[in-house]
């Protein structure tokens, strides 16, 4: 007899009543989502292996929030940090307005000048290990948030450079830390292209090494 083993993600959803949604800017029905990995035999879930995610979700826009906190979608803090981190990495840290534009167009949330400076100071102090931060985010976010994070990472990279192998590898690494496959990363990138890079202008270095926009 041949046994076919496998794993499957199962989701359990419970209503938690009406909550204010920061994205809809209105009170909406919310649910608590519990995702767990199950051991399967012949495609049938037999036993739970581990809890993979738990978060609140607005049933109107499907945005994920930390449980018991609907003040800000769960992925926004890390998304902002990633944009600033990448701009710093490409020596484009004097463009806080561009960071805010990327964040606003992809997530609907702005990065204030003060926030930008605070994030930069945190990164410079070595307080933030970005891949680790993304790994911690993975269990409290859903596909909507993961796509926004990957779109922001790709768009920030795209406006800073012509993507080389290591730039693309960094994006894949963020996808891996989020717990998604390469197909999902590709999908997020294709959506950014489809949106014409959200109309964000590219930043470039001039041939003489002087930073300039064009
Ligand atoms: Zn909503």
């Amino acid at each position: 007899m041949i046994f076919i083993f496998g794993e499957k993600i199962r989701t359990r959803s419970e209503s938690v009543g009406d909550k204010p949604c920061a994205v809809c800017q209105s009170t909406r029905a919310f649910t608590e989502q519990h995702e767990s990995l199950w051991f399967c035999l012949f495609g049938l879930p037999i036993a739970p292996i581990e809890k993979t995610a738990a978060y609140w979700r607005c049933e109107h826009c499907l945005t994920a929030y930390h449980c018991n906190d609907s003040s800000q979608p769960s992925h926004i803090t890390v998304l902002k940090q990633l944009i600033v981190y990448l701009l710093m990495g490409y020596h484009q840290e004097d463009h806080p307005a561009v960071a805010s534009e990327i964040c606003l167009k992809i997530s609907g949330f702005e990065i204030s000048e003060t926030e930008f400076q605070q994030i930069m100071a945190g990164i410079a102090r070595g307080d933030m290990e970005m891949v680790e931060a993304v790994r911690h985010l993975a269990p409290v976010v859903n596909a909507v948030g993961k796509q926004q994070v990957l779109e922001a990472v790709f768009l920030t990279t795209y406006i800073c450079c012509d993507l080389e192998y290591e730039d693309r590898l960094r994006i894949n690494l963020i996808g891996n830390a989020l717990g998604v496959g390469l197909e999902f990363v590709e999908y997020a990138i294709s959506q950014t292209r489809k949106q014409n890079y959200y109309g964000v202008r590219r930043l470039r270095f001039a041939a003489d090494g002087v930073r300039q926009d064009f």
Side-chain angles (χ1 to χ4, degrees):
M1 189 172 181
I2 301 165
F3 290 100
I4 303 191
F5 304 107
E7 291 174 352
K8 204 180 247 180
I9 296 277
R10 292 185 89 190
T11 305
R12 187 164 52 83
S13 173
E14 279 167 28
S15 169
V16 288
D18 291 347
K19 308 284 175 195
C21 174
V23 174
C24 295
Q25 300 201 322
S26 182
T27 301
R28 303 288 192 194
F30 267 58
T31 54
E32 190 164 310
Q33 301 286 319
H34 292 271
E35 293 177 5
S36 46
L37 189 66
W38 281 63
F39 172 73
C40 300
L41 189 58
F42 297 112
L44 296 171
I46 304 294
I49 301 169
E50 64 174 346
K51 226 174 140 174
T52 54
Y55 52 85
W56 273 9
R57 185 177 76 181
C58 166
E59 289 308 295
H60 185 78
C61 65
L62 303 180
T63 300
Y65 290 84
H66 289 288
C67 290
N68 300 310
D69 179 10
S70 70
S71 61
Q72 178 180 268
S74 49
H75 64 291
I76 297 298
T77 300
V78 172
L79 186 143
K80 288 179 176 179
Q81 291 169 348
L82 282 166
I83 294 171
V84 179
Y85 173 79
L86 287 167
L87 284 177
M88 284 175 78
Y90 290 107
H91 306 291
Q92 301 289 353
E93 62 272 17
D94 50 356
H95 291 286
V98 176
S100 188
E101 185 187 4
I102 293 172
C103 196
L104 179 67
K105 287 183 170 165
I106 290 178
S107 73
F109 291 83
E110 290 176 279
I111 305 176
S112 71
E113 178 86 40
T114 316
E115 240 180 322
F116 186 89
Q117 298 302 338
Q118 282 167 349
I119 298 170
M120 266 212 334
I123 293 168
R125 279 197 306 269
D127 292 352
M128 296 172 200
E129 212 295 280
M130 286 321 302
V131 174
E132 206 45 43
V134 175
R135 208 163 271 141
H136 279 111
L137 170 68
V140 291
V141 75
N142 61 7
V144 175
K146 289 179 183 183
Q147 184 182 329
Q148 287 187 9
V149 167
L150 287 165
E151 286 202 44
V153 166
F154 170 67
L155 183 56
T156 310
T157 306
Y158 169 81
I159 63 156
C160 290
C161 69
D162 289 320
L163 266 75
E164 306 259 355
Y165 176 75
E166 64 268 30
D167 305 299
R168 187 47 217 265
L169 199 65
R170 191 176 304 110
I171 300 170
N172 291 348
L173 202 71
I174 299 291
N176 185 271
L178 277 171
V180 299
L182 284 178
E183 302 78 17
F184 191 95
V185 177
E186 287 296 342
Y187 174 76
I189 291 174
S190 72
Q191 290 306 301
T192 317
R193 291 202 173 110
K194 212 180 254 181
Q195 296 294 328
N196 290 318
Y197 305 93
Y198 294 90
V200 181
R201 281 190 323 148
R202 297 186 86 179
L203 308 165
R204 284 283 179 94
F205 285 93
D208 59 2
V210 177
R211 214 172 286 159
Q212 66 170 31
D213 303 349
F214 74 95

